[in-house]
Amino acid sequence: MESKIEVLSTVKIDYQADLYKIVDALNRTLKRENLMFGLALDPESQDKAVFTIYRT
């Protein structure tokens, strides 16, 4: 069975230490809706984070 992941939206935001808590809450709450959320540091600027919404 093949799993496709579709990127719905990506946005760069100012990095804050607790952002991962929001992403964790979204993932736990909305996984039944086939949504997944990601957070990564922007490789170009350590002061920015990249927040991505996926459909699984």
Side-chain angles (χ1 to χ4, degrees), residues 6-56:
E6 173 187 5
V7 175
L8 298 178
S9 179
T10 300
V11 64
K12 287 185 184 181
I13 54 177
D14 291 332
Y15 176 77
Q16 298 293 320
D18 286 342
L19 282 174
Y20 76 93
K21 292 178 183 180
I22 295 170
V23 173
D24 183 55
L26 288 168
N27 279 325
R28 290 173 186 261
T29 305
L30 297 173
K31 67 181 174 185
R32 290 176 213 86
E33 304 298 324
N34 296 322
L35 295 173
M36 182 173 64
F37 302 85
L39 183 67
L41 283 176
D42 184 353
E44 298 171 5
S45 172
Q46 297 295 302
D47 296 335
K48 297 284 185 181
V50 180
F51 176 73
T52 307
I53 303 171
Y54 305 93
R55 182 175 314 279
T56 59

